[in-house]
Amino acid sequence: MFGKRITLFKLFGFEVRVDLSWLIIAFLIVWSLSRGFFPYQHKDLSSTTYLWMGIVGALGLFASIVFHELWHSLIARRVGLPMKGITLFVFGGVAEMDDEPPNAKAEFLMAIAGPFSSIVLGFGFYAFYSTFGKLPVPVEGVMRYLALINWILAGFNLLPAYPLDGGRVLRSALWSWKGDLRWATRIASQTGSAFGIVLILLGLINVFYGNVIGGIWWFVIGMFLRNASQMSYKQVLVRKALEGEKVRRFMNEEPVSVPPSISLRELVEDYVYKYHYKMFPVVENGNLIGCIGTDRVKEIKKEEWESHTVAEAANQCSPDNVISPETDTLKALSVMSRTGKSRLMVVENNNLIGIIALKDILGFLSTKMDLENYGEG
C-alpha cells in the first residue's frame, strides 16, 4: 500500500511517519483551499492571505489525522495490541497493527475511538471561534474549516465499509454475533468492496456531467476502498492459515553458506549464479559471523569485486536478518516485509540451523488455502 516513508517524530511512543505520496495530497489541499474554498467562503482577502490560510488549514488537517490515528493506537495499546506507528499517506492515515484485535470488544473500542476523537476535536475548533467572539476573518475561516473537516472525517470513517472505522465496527458486531473472525471479515470486506463500487460509479457520473476533477477523486477513492477491503480480507486469511505455525516448520535445515575469505567475484560466480539466492550466511569454522546479500554486493563497483572479500562486505547478525526457530511465521513475514528481505537466517543458541525463505511460506499458504477453501468460510 505504501511507498517510501519518512519518520517525522514520536508521539506517546508511536512513530509518526509520512509516505511520500502524502506530499502530493498536501500540495493539492493547500492549492484547493487557497484558490477555491477560502476565496469562496471569505471574499476580498489578498492572495497571500488565502495562501497562508491554505497552508495553516493543511497543517491543521495533518494534525487532525494524526490525532484521529493516535486514539486508535492508544486504545490498541490499552487492549494489549502492539502497534508499529502512524503513517500518513495519499488518502489519509493509518495506525499500523502487528496483529488482529484479541476480541470483538477490543475491535469495537479501537474502531470507534478514531471517529469519536474527530467529532470531539471538531467541537473543540467550533468552540474556539464561537467562544472568543470576533476573531480576524482568516483565523475564524481556518477554525471553521477545521471544525467542518473533522466532522467530515468522522462521518466518512463511520461508513460501514471495511477497512474504514465503520467497517471495523460492523466486523466487531458480526464477530461478536457468530464468534468467527474470518466470516465477519469476509462479510465486512464485501460491504467495503460494494461501497467502493458505489463511489466508482458516482465518480463516473460526475465526470459524465462535467465535474471532471471531483469525479476523478470519487473514482480513485472508490478504487482504493475496494482494493483495501479485498487486501484486508486476504491478510486475515493469511493470518488464519499461518496461525500457530513456527519458523522451524518452513526452514531449510541444510542452508548453503559461504566462507568469509572468498572474494566478492567468487561469491557471485560460484554461489549467486549457481544457487540463485539473494542472501547467504557467512560461516567460518562452524561459527556464524554474518550474512552477505546481492544488495550489499551491488553497492561495490563490479571492477572492485576481486579486491574485496566477503568478510569485508558482510553484514552483522541482527533482528533484521536473524530469527529464532520457535518464532511465529507471521513474525518472520513481518520482518521480511519491513526489511524487503526474502530470506532470514534461523539461529538457535547462536548456531545457524537453517534458512527460512519467503517462497516456501507462500507455497505452503497457496496449498493450504486452496485445500481448505479459505475464501469460503
Side-chain angles (χ1 to χ4, degrees):
M1 179 185 294
F2 304 113
K4 185 175 177 57
R5 288 175 284 184
I6 301 172
T7 299
L8 300 180
F9 53 85
K10 276 194 172 183
L11 189 62
F12 294 100
F14 302 111
E15 284 192 353
V16 178
R17 298 179 288 267
V18 60
D19 188 274
L20 291 183
S21 65
W22 204 86
L23 298 178
I24 300 171
I25 195 66
F27 172 80
L28 291 175
I29 289 171
V30 172
W31 180 80
S32 61
L33 289 178
S34 62
R35 298 293 298 272
F37 182 81
F38 286 132
Y40 178 79
Q41 296 290 330
H42 307 280
K43 309 292 185 183
D44 302 324
L45 299 178
S46 68
S47 57
T48 302
T49 300
Y50 289 134
L51 177 60
W52 278 110
M53 291 173 71
I55 293 172
V56 175
L59 291 173
L61 175 58
F62 169 91
S64 297
I65 295 173
V66 171
F67 185 79
H68 178 108
E69 300 300 335
L70 174 64
W71 277 96
H72 285 311
S73 300
L74 290 173
I75 298 300
R77 177 191 284 173
R78 184 69 180 269
V79 300
L81 189 64
M83 302 295 292
K84 297 179 182 178
I86 298 168
T87 299
L88 302 182
F89 66 109
V90 69
F91 289 110
V94 63
E96 298 178 84
M97 298 184 291
D98 270 332
D99 203 350
E100 291 293 339
N103 51 58
K105 180 181 178 181
E107 168 89 309
F108 173 80
L109 292 175
M110 288 170 50
I112 204 66
F116 180 77
S117 68
S118 293
I119 292 171
V120 172
L121 188 59
F123 277 110
F125 285 119
Y126 175 80
F128 181 88
Y129 73 77
S130 298
T131 303
F132 285 93
K134 192 66 176 177
L135 293 170
V137 171
V139 175
E140 182 176 334
V142 171
M143 291 298 106
R144 284 181 180 272
Y145 162 74
L146 292 176
L148 176 63
I149 201 64
N150 272 280
W151 292 332
I152 292 174
L153 181 65
F156 180 76
N157 273 281
L158 282 172
L159 290 174
Y162 189 79
L164 297 180
D165 298 333
R168 290 189 174 274
V169 170
L170 172 62
R171 185 174 77 155
S172 71
L174 295 171
W175 187 5
S176 178
W177 176 32
K178 282 205 171 184
D180 187 336
L181 174 61
R182 194 176 72 184
W183 174 83
T185 306
R186 180 165 65 88
I187 300 302
S189 66
Q190 288 174 347
T191 305
S193 184
F195 267 97
I197 293 173
V198 169
L199 293 179
I200 291 170
L201 293 175
L202 182 61
L204 293 174
I205 292 171
N206 271 268
V207 170
F208 180 78
Y209 281 99
N211 183 15
V212 177
I213 301 299
I216 290 175
W217 272 110
W218 282 118
F219 182 87
V220 172
I221 292 172
M223 287 291 293
F224 167 79
L225 181 58
R226 186 168 183 271
N227 291 335
S229 64
Q230 294 172 344
M231 287 300 299
S232 297
Y233 180 47
K234 289 178 181 177
Q235 288 173 1
V236 171
L237 294 183
V238 168
R239 289 182 183 278
K240 283 296 182 181
L242 291 177
E243 198 169 44
E245 301 289 353
K246 304 299 183 183
V247 164
R248 186 183 296 276
R249 174 166 185 172
F250 304 102
M251 71 182 189
N252 175 5
E253 297 182 9
E254 298 181 356
V256 178
S257 62
V258 300
S261 58
I262 65 173
S263 69
L264 293 183
R265 184 170 298 282
E266 289 176 292
L267 168 70
V268 173
E269 296 291 342
D270 298 340
Y271 290 88
V272 176
Y273 291 160
K274 180 177 180 180
Y275 297 102
H276 309 142
Y277 298 147
K278 291 187 176 181
M279 185 275 288
F280 294 88
V282 181
V283 176
E284 183 176 33
N285 298 325
N287 297 317
L288 176 67
I289 62 175
C291 66
I292 182 75
T294 54
D295 54 347
R296 180 71 181 95
V297 174
K298 287 190 295 185
E299 294 175 1
I300 300 172
K301 294 179 180 179
K302 186 175 180 179
E303 53 268 25
E304 298 179 6
W305 286 356
E306 193 67 52
S307 60
H308 290 280
T309 65
V310 165
E312 295 171 350
N315 294 313
Q316 294 183 342
C317 296
S318 74
D320 286 346
N321 54 39
V322 167
I323 201 159
S324 163
E326 300 308 316
T327 302
D328 286 340
T329 304
L330 281 171
K331 174 65 176 177
L333 280 177
S334 177
V335 174
M336 291 176 180
S337 175
R338 175 172 57 81
T339 62
K341 302 181 186 300
S342 60
R343 289 162 57 84
L344 301 175
M345 297 181 291
V346 185
V347 174
E348 188 174 43
N349 298 325
N350 296 321
N351 294 317
L352 176 71
I353 63 171
I355 288 284
I356 183 170
L358 178 61
K359 66 179 181 62
D360 295 327
I361 301 174
L362 295 180
F364 169 81
L365 276 173
S366 176
T367 302
K368 183 171 183 177
M369 294 173 74
D370 180 53
L371 285 175
E372 301 184 15
N373 295 317
Y374 260 61
E376 305 299 326

